Amino acid sequence: MSKSESVFEMALEQLGDAAQRLNLNASTLRVLSHCERELTVALPVVMDDGRIEVFTGHRVQHSSARGPCKGGIRFHHDVSIDEVKALSMWMTWKCAVVNIPYGGAKGGITVDVTKLTKNEIRRLTRRYTVAMLPIIGSHSDIPAPDVNTSAETMGWIMDTVSMFRGSTVLDIVTGKSIELGGSLGRREATGRGVMFNALELLKRVDQAPSETSVSVQGFGNVGSVSADLLQKEGCRIVAVSDVSGAYYKEDGLPITDMIEYCKSSQNGLLDGFDAPGMTKISNTELLELDVDLLVPAALEKQITEKNADKIKAKFIVEGANGPVTPVAEKILLSKDKYVVPDILANSGGVVVSYFEWVQSIQSFFWDEDEVNRNLKRVIVNSFKSVWEMAEREKVDLRNAAMMIAVDRVARALDARGIFP
Ligand code: NAD
């Protein structure tokens, strides 16, 4: 893999920038440039027709300096160790920028889930869980959902761990269903956090939500909830997309109907959805629409040096992890655009995961208002710190967020010292 194709290189570049601005000493930078632990496993699974397929799974823990490692598990055909390493490092910064007591981790299986039956996916998940037993744990590394994994997947993981431990272990995963000790508001948390971040940004630049047009790339957990909540705040959602294509309506899409449609459609996709005045456009067109706010909420590397010049949105709020490459970001910033970085923009999920973990440990559960109120407090305060750091240091929002995060992790490392 060349340097330019590596997402981990992209994460290292962002760390390097922040380290330079913070005057971080070379030894600390050296430690933070490495992941603490990487585990790659072969996962044989008996398929429904009796064949045995072998899949590859990974779990990477980037840093436990500030607390147990935390991060989602992704099922996707593009999952690689390079990607999982980058995502685990971003989790470290994400937990630090919103100041929750976690380090960063990530996991993934290289698999095209559309080609597997539900039973096959369940066996694969359980096998992966057992392979990861030596390193996951309620106080060491707590998984959560990510692309193509859900509350149901978390239930299988929790049950597998519980079978091996001989007792029910609720706090081993977050993003569980409510029946298994999940938190109210967790499913919507990442999209709600995207909405809070977008509103904070609009407030700072004096732009009313009612005068803001929006396009959202990706209509899964993050994209659909972001679109729904931004619409409820008065924004006009003119375009959304998923792998089946992009859907456009100048005076605003019927987001609630689209979410309902996906609940019963093939693979949860928008394919086949129709509404008066709606047209289909390409995913490339969606990214380049003349809107005020763009929320990339699908996968990484969607805005690159190839299309950055064509992005017209003034505000980009990164719902996905790593959707804008460093080179593309330089182009966007040179055109006076604002990019709210992933580690802040999509941190709502891990914040409410933290609330869920706290509730599971205490066996004491909050109502949804309490969850949403606390989430808002954390996001609004974190956005304020990042905005003020950006103004004080005259840097963009990503550098400001990274400076706050890297500084917090570096201080924790310093306070602990290097073993032995
Ligand atoms: P998801 O699987 O629920 O949804 C992904 C969506 O993106 C689907 O609608 C899919 O069809 C669409 N998509 C994929 N490739 C696309 C493309 N090329 N063009 C248009 N649409 C495309 O996943 P999710 O949980 O919503 O996660 C989305 C992103 O947000 C990922 O980068 C993930 O790491 C990040 N994220 C998720 C959470 C969370 O709580 N779910 C938290 C933080 C960050």
Side-chain angles (χ1 to χ4, degrees):
M1 179 181 305
S2 76
K3 266 192 152 194
S4 64
E5 284 167 356
S6 161
V7 210
F8 188 60
E9 286 293 336
M10 175 172 147
L12 283 177
E13 201 175 318
Q14 293 164 350
L15 168 61
D17 278 357
Q20 200 174 10
R21 287 177 212 277
L22 286 166
N23 263 329
L24 202 68
N25 72 59
S27 297
T28 307
L29 177 59
R30 203 168 300 130
V31 175
L32 294 178
S33 300
H34 288 80
C35 295
E36 280 177 14
R37 189 178 274 135
E38 298 171 25
L39 179 57
T40 294
V41 290
L43 304 166
V45 175
V46 181
M47 308 303 275
D48 289 353
D49 63 5
R51 248 177 332 119
I52 296 174
E53 281 286 347
V54 182
F55 299 89
T56 302
H58 310 279
R59 184 80 184 165
V60 175
Q61 299 167 350
H62 169 252
S63 168
S64 59
R66 299 181 70 253
C69 297
K70 187 87 188 81
I73 296 175
R74 175 177 294 196
F75 290 177
H76 195 271
H77 51 89
D78 283 340
V79 162
S80 64
I81 188 71
D82 177 81
E83 180 187 74
V84 179
K85 282 170 70 178
L87 291 163
S88 76
M89 183 185 271
W90 285 327
M91 282 307 296
T92 303
W93 313 139
K94 193 177 297 185
C95 296
V97 79
V98 290
N99 214 1
I100 55 175
Y102 282 142
K106 201 80 181 190
I109 301 178
T110 314
V111 57
D112 180 352
V113 283
T114 61
K115 299 209 163 77
L116 269 65
T117 64
K118 190 165 168 176
N119 277 333
E120 289 166 344
I121 296 172
R122 190 176 56 219
R123 288 196 288 276
L124 176 61
T125 305
R126 286 188 183 278
R127 182 74 192 213
Y128 174 83
T129 307
V130 173
M132 292 300 157
L133 273 181
I135 65 164
I136 59 171
S138 308
H139 294 279
S140 54
D141 182 354
I142 309 126
D146 192 68
V147 176
N148 291 325
T149 54
S150 62
E152 187 175 45
T153 326
M154 296 307 112
W156 296 333
I157 294 176
M158 175 265 169
D159 182 66
T160 305
V161 172
S162 299
M163 290 300 110
F164 273 79
R165 300 268 155 86
S167 62
T168 297
V169 189
L170 289 182
D171 47 13
I172 179 69
V173 282
T174 59
K176 305 179 290 286
S177 63
I178 303 298
E179 296 72 29
L180 289 179
S183 178
L184 293 167
R186 172 60 184 89
R187 193 188 62 78
E188 301 86 357
T190 307
R192 191 174 295 277
V194 167
M195 178 270 284
F196 287 141
N197 272 290
L199 293 191
E200 286 304 299
L201 174 60
L202 293 178
K203 206 182 332 173
R204 298 295 191 298
V205 296
D206 244 343
Q207 166 139 351
S210 58
E211 278 158 28
T212 305
S213 55
V214 184
S215 55
V216 180
Q217 185 202 35
F219 205 65
N221 175 289
V222 182
S224 66
V225 176
S226 303
D228 187 38
L229 295 180
L230 282 167
Q231 187 169 65
K232 288 184 171 127
E233 292 295 327
C235 297
R236 185 160 46 91
I237 315 297
V238 300
V240 300
S241 65
D242 64 15
V243 284
S244 71
Y247 303 79
Y248 174 80
K249 189 164 184 271
E250 176 59 30
D251 59 357
L253 288 163
I255 299 297
T256 316
D257 295 348
M258 297 173 99
I259 291 174
E260 274 310 308
Y261 179 85
C262 290
K263 283 184 188 160
S264 51
S265 68
Q266 177 110 30
N267 295 325
L269 294 178
L270 284 163
D271 203 14
F273 179 82
D274 207 3
M278 192 190 81
T279 51
K280 246 186 128 175
I281 58 174
S282 70
N283 190 42
T284 312
E285 286 173 295
L286 175 136
L287 291 174
E288 296 166 8
L289 280 175
D290 190 5
V291 289
D292 300 301
L293 168 64
L294 170 64
V295 180
L299 291 171
E300 57 268 22
K301 289 187 162 184
Q302 297 300 302
I303 303 176
T304 65
E305 69 264 39
K306 294 202 183 94
N307 61 355
D309 232 358
K310 300 184 192 132
I311 304 295
K312 298 186 192 66
K314 173 96 173 158
F315 313 113
I316 293 123
V317 178
E318 294 186 328
N321 286 311
V324 179
T325 64
V327 181
E329 185 159 12
K330 286 196 180 91
I331 298 171
L332 297 174
L333 295 174
S334 74
K335 297 167 107 187
D336 292 332
K337 298 185 187 297
Y338 293 84
V339 182
V340 182
D342 45 9
I343 58 169
L344 175 63
N346 67 36
S347 62
V350 76
V351 171
V352 176
S353 271
Y354 167 57
F355 297 160
E356 177 179 334
W357 184 68
V358 168
Q359 294 171 73
S360 285
I361 288 173
Q362 298 184 336
S363 291
F364 182 76
F365 295 91
W366 311 353
D367 64 28
E368 194 164 350
D369 270 0
E370 186 165 1
V371 173
N372 291 344
R373 204 173 48 246
N374 278 299
L375 172 61
K376 183 171 183 183
R377 176 178 55 79
V378 172
I379 300 288
V380 168
N381 288 343
S382 305
F383 188 95
K384 182 169 180 281
S385 318
V386 170
W387 186 267
E388 288 173 357
M389 172 69 100
E391 291 204 317
R392 198 167 54 245
E393 296 293 324
K394 302 199 174 8
V395 294
D396 58 86
L397 295 172
R398 186 182 316 277
N399 264 302
M402 283 292 290
M403 285 172 75
I404 291 173
V406 173
D407 185 50
R408 281 186 181 144
V409 181
R411 281 171 194 272
L413 265 184
D414 191 42
R416 290 177 68 147
I418 297 293
F419 182 85

